[in-house]
Amino acid sequence: MARPCPLCENQPLRPLRVSHVEIDTCPRCHGLWFDRGELERFPDRPPARSFLAMKGQTFSRCRRSGHPVGRAEAVCPTCRSEPVRCPACSERLRRVVTSASPVDVCPSCEGVWLDAGAFEALAGVTETRPPPTGVVPQARPSAPATAAMECSRCGVGLQVSEAYAYEGEVYCGACRPPGSVSGAAMKKGTPGGPLRRVLGALSTLSLAVSGAATGCVHTPGPSEVAASYARALEENRLAEAYALTSAPAEARPAFLEHYADASVRQARAKEVREALPELQARAAALTLVQAKEGWRVVEEKPEDAPRAALKGFLDAVEAGHWNKAWSLLSDPLRARYTPERLREDFKREPLSAERVRRARLALEGDVRVTASGAEFPLGTDRAVRLVREAGEYRVAAIE
């Protein structure tokens, strides 16, 4: 059974191989979980025992906002949310604040949770130290009313000129990761405005000129392009999203029409983000190709993927490849059937051949694509229905 993310509700962790070690990561918040002994296998990071030895750090943080939660408090006294808990043993995690980066440790199983970016911040740190004496650990401070944005790591308020961008996130000067780009490099007169707009401007700057300080031309990799693509969909910047695809100019109207629906945009952006942790150039529901302009997302016509899935199912049934046919069924149907039972049902059902024939005809007609699936109409109140599961189309009903 997959372990739950300590921070994200109803989000299981996924295995991720980093160098020679398999750890766990959250596809939503991109935090990392290290079981006992795993962090020690990265010699350029401090060992878990160095965090566990810091006895003075005895508070937890709440799941919703990161407020401190004392050992005697069952819930956060500020927002009433639960404290973060260990994904391995459910023990309450302890927040350890060091001069390098805060981390969460489990006093029971001795696992370590690192928020997104903390693993990079700990690079080269061989000895962890607590913050200066008298500094009381606090929740992330809110930005001043005049600040344009917040540091995504420590929460300090920032103006554009004080900010640094890296892979779509904004950091202060103290927290910025290597390769980040300064907002001061933007042209004077760039308007501030909402965080989303400024973040978009800084992210574009980061993709365009990251590495300039070393004199190298940085070409954004597949993950950077895919993350920018997901962000453009989420923010309804369809022209920018389309520019990051490999589709030809004549396909642009169909792309804009398909993603005019907000639910379709959000569903696609979610698929792309969930694929990022395992992405090289291809992952489930996401493929990138390298063109002369750089990496580009492959976006098929909206109807192509469900047509291919239904055709694959029908081909497998007609060829008697029942394992393949069973694998193309939706989760509820796979739970009810086995490949052997599927074969027997098709043999015993008098109308099975007629249903397959009608489904073949439906392939030649229109298809209605939604955020959750697709339908091939078969006349009044009947259709071949497919659902979207883990980024792939699966057959849910022949009619």
Side-chain angles (χ1 to χ4, degrees):
M1 182 176 179
R3 296 168 170 179
C5 175
L7 302 183
C8 303
E9 188 173 0
N10 299 322
Q11 177 61 59
L13 299 178
R14 292 182 178 177
L16 173 69
R17 180 162 291 277
V18 179
S19 185
H20 54 293
V21 185
E22 186 174 277
I23 59 178
D24 296 290
T25 183
C26 174
R28 186 180 301 169
C29 70
H30 306 299
L32 300 172
W33 173 256
F34 297 80
D35 286 318
R36 180 179 181 179
E38 288 182 343
L39 193 56
E40 278 74 4
R41 298 178 69 180
F42 295 89
D44 59 339
R45 264 70 174 184
R49 62 178 177 272
S50 66
F51 302 121
L52 293 163
M54 299 174 70
K55 303 296 185 181
Q57 308 297 335
T58 58
F59 75 103
S60 298
R61 59 168 168 160
C62 74
R63 190 173 193 176
R64 180 184 303 166
S65 304
H67 300 127
V69 181
R71 296 182 68 178
E73 296 168 325
V75 296
C76 175
T78 304
C79 65
R80 313 303 297 173
S81 67
E82 294 284 333
V84 294
R85 294 191 177 276
C86 173
C89 69
S90 298
E91 178 73 21
R92 184 187 294 197
L93 295 179
R94 304 284 178 81
R95 189 69 163 164
V96 175
V97 179
T98 76
S99 57
S101 175
V103 303
D104 296 275
V105 299
C106 178
S108 178
C109 70
E110 300 185 357
V112 176
W113 173 262
L114 301 180
D115 288 340
F119 185 74
E120 291 79 4
L122 292 168
V125 177
T126 57
E127 180 184 356
T128 57
R129 299 182 303 277
T133 304
V135 175
V136 179
Q138 298 177 352
R140 286 177 44 163
S142 58
T146 57
M149 63 193 74
E150 296 179 1
C151 172
S152 62
R153 183 170 295 164
C154 72
V156 67
L158 299 168
Q159 297 296 331
V160 174
S161 60
E162 303 169 324
Y164 292 81
Y166 184 75
E167 293 189 350
E169 299 290 345
V170 173
Y171 300 90
C172 67
C175 297
R176 59 175 177 150
S180 56
V181 179
S182 170
M186 299 177 68
K187 294 180 179 179
K188 292 183 178 180
T190 300
L195 170 62
R196 178 176 293 178
R197 184 173 61 194
V198 178
L199 177 59
L202 281 175
S203 299
T204 302
L205 179 67
S206 179
L207 286 175
V209 300
S210 176
T214 62
C216 300
V217 177
H218 173 69
T219 301
S223 294
E224 293 174 283
V225 172
S228 297
Y229 179 68
R231 188 163 53 251
L233 288 178
E234 290 166 343
E235 298 174 4
N236 196 22
R237 294 183 283 111
L238 295 185
E240 295 178 37
Y242 187 76
L244 292 172
T245 73
S246 62
E250 57 268 23
R252 189 172 186 271
F255 178 92
L256 299 179
E257 180 181 358
H258 179 60
Y259 286 116
D261 186 327
S263 64
V264 177
R265 289 197 305 273
Q266 296 303 319
R268 178 58 174 155
K270 181 180 178 182
E271 285 180 351
V272 173
R273 290 202 179 279
E274 289 178 345
L276 286 177
E278 60 188 35
L279 177 66
Q280 291 180 351
R282 180 174 175 81
L286 181 61
T287 300
L288 288 92
V289 295
Q290 196 162 24
K292 62 181 180 180
E293 302 87 0
W295 287 97
R296 290 295 179 263
V297 176
V298 176
E299 274 288 355
E300 300 173 322
K301 294 179 181 178
E303 66 270 16
D304 286 350
R307 285 192 195 279
L310 178 56
K311 182 179 183 301
F313 174 78
L314 297 175
D315 289 347
V317 167
E318 292 177 336
H321 297 157
W322 299 105
N323 285 328
K324 175 67 173 176
W326 177 83
S327 72
L328 293 171
L329 293 176
S330 64
D331 283 343
L333 290 181
R334 288 203 307 276
R336 287 170 46 194
Y337 283 93
T338 63
E340 293 74 20
R341 183 181 170 189
L342 185 65
R343 178 190 62 198
E344 293 303 316
D345 276 13
F346 266 90
K347 285 184 176 180
R348 288 198 303 261
E349 171 57 54
L351 296 178
S352 61
E354 177 62 17
R355 288 180 176 177
V356 170
R357 186 189 71 82
R358 288 200 295 265
R360 282 283 185 196
L361 291 176
L363 271 176
E364 305 301 321
D366 295 331
V367 55
R368 293 194 294 265
V369 180
T370 67
S372 59
E375 289 188 354
F376 293 84
L378 283 171
T380 306
D381 299 328
R382 293 192 303 176
V384 177
R385 291 192 303 107
L386 288 82
V387 294
R388 196 88 181 241
E389 295 173 345
E392 304 291 340
Y393 284 94
R394 297 286 185 265
V395 176
I398 292 294
E399 58 182 57

